Coordinates of all heavy atoms in Angstrom, one line a residue:
A248 N -9.7 12.3 -10.9 CA -9.9 12.6 -12.3 C -9.6 14.2 -12.6 O -8.8 14.6 -13.5 CB -11.2 12.3 -12.9
K249 N -10.2 15.0 -11.7 CA -9.9 16.5 -11.8 C -8.4 16.7 -11.7 O -7.8 17.6 -12.4 CB -10.7 17.2 -10.7 CG -12.2 17.2 -11.0 CD -12.8 18.0 -9.9 CE -14.4 18.0 -10.1 NZ -15.1 18.8 -9.0
E250 N -7.8 16.0 -10.7 CA -6.4 16.3 -10.4 C -5.6 15.9 -11.7 O -4.5 16.6 -11.9 CB -5.9 15.6 -9.2 CG -4.6 15.9 -8.6 CD -4.3 15.3 -7.2 OE1 -5.1 14.7 -6.7 OE2 -3.1 15.4 -6.8
I251 N -5.8 14.7 -12.1 CA -5.0 14.2 -13.3 C -5.1 15.1 -14.5 O -4.3 15.4 -15.1 CB -5.4 12.7 -13.6 CG1 -5.1 11.8 -12.4 CG2 -4.7 12.2 -14.8 CD1 -3.6 11.7 -11.9
I252 N -6.3 15.4 -14.8 CA -6.7 16.4 -15.9 C -6.0 17.6 -15.8 O -5.4 18.1 -16.8 CB -8.2 16.5 -16.1 CG1 -8.8 15.2 -16.6 CG2 -8.4 17.6 -17.3 CD1 -10.3 15.2 -16.6
F253 N -6.0 18.2 -14.5 CA -5.5 19.5 -14.4 C -3.9 19.5 -14.6 O -3.2 20.4 -15.0 CB -5.8 20.1 -12.9 CG -5.2 21.4 -12.7 CD1 -5.7 22.5 -13.3 CD2 -4.1 21.6 -11.9 CE1 -5.2 23.8 -13.1 CE2 -3.6 22.8 -11.7 CZ -4.2 24.0 -12.3
R254 N -3.3 18.4 -14.0 CA -1.9 18.1 -14.2 C -1.4 18.2 -15.6 O -0.2 18.6 -16.0 CB -1.4 16.9 -13.3 CG -1.6 17.1 -11.9 CD -1.4 15.7 -11.2 NE -0.2 15.2 -11.3 CZ 0.7 15.1 -10.4 NH1 0.6 15.8 -9.3 NH2 2.0 14.5 -10.5
F255 N -2.3 17.5 -16.5 CA -1.9 17.3 -17.9 C -2.2 18.4 -18.7 O -1.4 19.0 -19.6 CB -2.5 16.1 -18.4 CG -2.4 15.8 -19.8 CD1 -1.1 15.9 -20.4 CD2 -3.4 15.4 -20.7 CE1 -0.8 15.6 -21.8 CE2 -3.2 15.1 -22.0 CZ -1.9 15.2 -22.5
K256 N -3.5 19.0 -18.5 CA -4.0 20.1 -19.5 C -4.1 21.4 -18.8 O -4.5 22.4 -19.6 CB -5.3 19.6 -20.1 CG -5.1 18.5 -21.0 CD -6.6 18.0 -21.5 CE -6.5 16.9 -22.6 NZ -6.0 17.5 -23.8
G257 N -4.0 21.4 -17.5 CA -4.2 22.8 -16.8 C -5.6 23.2 -16.9 O -6.0 24.5 -16.8
E258 N -6.6 22.3 -17.1 CA -8.0 22.5 -17.2 C -8.8 22.2 -15.9 O -8.5 21.3 -15.2 CB -8.6 21.7 -18.3 CG -8.1 22.0 -19.6 CD -8.8 21.0 -20.7 OE1 -9.8 20.4 -20.3 OE2 -8.4 21.1 -21.8
R259 N -9.6 23.1 -15.5 CA -10.6 22.8 -14.4 C -11.9 22.6 -15.1 O -12.5 23.5 -15.8 CB -10.7 24.0 -13.5 CG -9.4 24.2 -12.8 CD -9.5 25.3 -11.6 NE -8.2 25.6 -11.0 CZ -7.6 24.8 -10.3 NH1 -8.0 23.7 -9.7 NH2 -6.4 25.3 -9.8
I260 N -12.4 21.3 -15.0 CA -13.7 20.9 -15.8 C -14.8 20.6 -14.9 O -14.7 20.2 -13.7 CB -13.2 19.9 -16.8 CG1 -12.4 18.7 -16.2 CG2 -12.5 20.4 -18.0 CD1 -13.1 17.7 -15.3

Side-chain angles (χ1 to χ4, degrees):
K249 288 180 178 179
E250 187 171 356
I251 296 297
I252 292 170
F253 182 76
R254 289 161 69 94
F255 178 44
K256 293 178 172 286
E258 297 178 7
R259 299 191 185 279
I260 42 78

